[in-house]
Amino acid sequence: MSTALERVNGPVLGALFVVAASVLWGTTGTAATFAPAVSPLAIGAVAMGLGGILQALSAARPIADFSAPLRGQWPLVAVGAAAVAAYPLAFYTSMHLAGVAVGTVVSIGSAPLASVVIERVADNRKFTRRWMLGALVGLAGAGLLCFAGEGQEGPEAAGSAAMPLGIALGLIAGTTYALYSWAAHRLIGSGVPSRAAMGAVFGLGGLLLMPVLAITGGPLLDSWQNFTVGAYMALVPMFAGYLLFGWGLARVRASTATGLSLVETVVAAVLAVLVVGERLPAAGWLGAALVVGSLFVLTPRAPTGS
């Protein structure tokens, strides 16, 4: 007879891992405001670069044990690593140019749609009405958050060219996020444990980011506050967050994971209000409620058999 614990140790638990990771990721925009002298390229490189290398070091044994399957699927590992390296550079620059609210919503909000295209083209996967309903509700909520946050943008977003460029970079970030999620999920689905798959993809991606960190990371050492922000970004949202995300990808498909990660936009908006002092109008709170509501639709149902 199947126990309740056995039933929850599948898609439902995977969804909870993804949501927990998204909560940690939602803190990054607020954390970056405590190091204004550090460029978005340096923030992205230290966060995903060091975080990815830590992933690889913590998974050194599983990576060694499954080195043959990983080498056998090196194109998938390479695509995932390239996407890992591109994502933070596009994401943090998008927030810098278009504002935290718009940059986050465009980046995270476009990922589920990119996942649909990737899984449809690469895996010939079909999508249920339930998933499409949840994604539409979540994207509607993210859109409301985006419009509600437009009045809170920084001076960088005021230029005529900054906003379109920031949105374009946000779309690139969403696509690369979906791409490395798909690559890691494919590796895990082939029999490679999540720690080995995530460690290989993120470790190689982290190494690709080291030249960017070497060129732009000087301000991280200018003060203890800047250093602390960089250390927090690498250790908590990136290392711990992607450890949780890898556990989630082992239990749910990549498109579901990217849909659930829309909760990151809510966490980012709430922290902007509570910590940074931004104001969120009623439309923003309605958008947050829609995103949270979409989680109940997107979360896979646990099996009911006994």
Side-chain angles (χ1 to χ4, degrees):
M1 180 180 292
S2 177
T3 65
L5 181 59
E6 288 170 339
R7 287 197 300 270
V8 100
N9 278 338
V12 174
L13 187 60
L16 292 176
F17 283 143
V18 172
V19 170
S22 301
V23 170
L24 295 181
W25 297 337
T27 67
T28 58
T30 296
T33 64
F34 290 96
V38 181
S39 73
L41 294 180
I43 288 289
V46 71
M48 206 72 127
L50 293 186
I53 291 173
L54 286 174
Q55 285 258 16
L57 292 175
S58 71
R61 182 63 180 272
I63 290 174
D65 291 342
F66 287 84
S67 58
L70 287 169
R71 286 197 303 270
Q73 301 187 77
W74 69 265
L76 199 57
V77 175
V79 167
V84 164
Y87 169 74
L89 305 181
F91 177 54
Y92 289 101
T93 306
S94 173
M95 288 195 296
H96 180 73
L97 294 174
V100 173
V102 175
T104 300
V105 168
V106 172
S107 300
I108 306 306
S110 61
L113 300 179
S115 288
V116 169
V117 175
I118 292 170
E119 289 191 1
R120 181 62 178 166
V121 172
D123 302 331
N124 197 28
R125 300 288 290 269
K126 295 182 180 180
F127 296 88
T128 65
R129 292 180 180 178
R130 178 185 175 89
W131 185 92
M132 289 187 286
L133 173 62
L136 286 174
V137 171
L139 289 172
L144 282 174
L145 274 172
C146 176
F147 291 122
E150 281 185 342
Q152 308 298 334
E153 293 157 8
E156 292 84 357
S160 59
M163 178 65 77
L165 180 57
I167 291 174
L169 287 171
L171 293 174
I172 292 173
T175 302
T176 51
Y177 171 37
L179 189 58
Y180 69 67
S181 299
W182 169 81
H185 181 75
R186 280 286 296 267
L187 287 170
I188 294 168
S190 71
V192 178
S194 65
R195 287 187 64 199
M198 296 292 284
V201 169
F202 280 75
L204 183 55
L207 288 176
L208 293 175
L209 285 166
M210 287 301 98
V212 179
L213 181 60
I215 294 170
T216 65
L220 287 164
L221 302 178
D222 287 347
S223 70
W224 276 110
Q225 181 164 315
N226 290 354
F227 178 82
T228 301
V229 168
Y232 169 81
M233 300 279 271
L235 292 173
V236 180
M238 297 307 157
F239 174 63
Y242 278 102
L243 194 64
L244 290 167
F245 190 65
W247 294 343
L249 280 176
R251 294 166 173 85
V252 299
R253 55 201 291 184
S255 55
T256 298
T258 53
L260 290 168
S261 65
L262 287 170
V263 74
E264 178 182 346
T265 62
V266 177
V267 175
V270 170
L271 287 178
V273 171
L274 297 179
V275 179
V276 182
E278 294 183 356
R279 296 179 61 187
L280 193 64
W285 291 112
L286 175 59
L290 286 174
V291 171
V292 172
S294 74
L295 302 182
F296 293 96
V297 182
L298 288 166
T299 300
R301 294 173 180 174
T304 55
S306 59

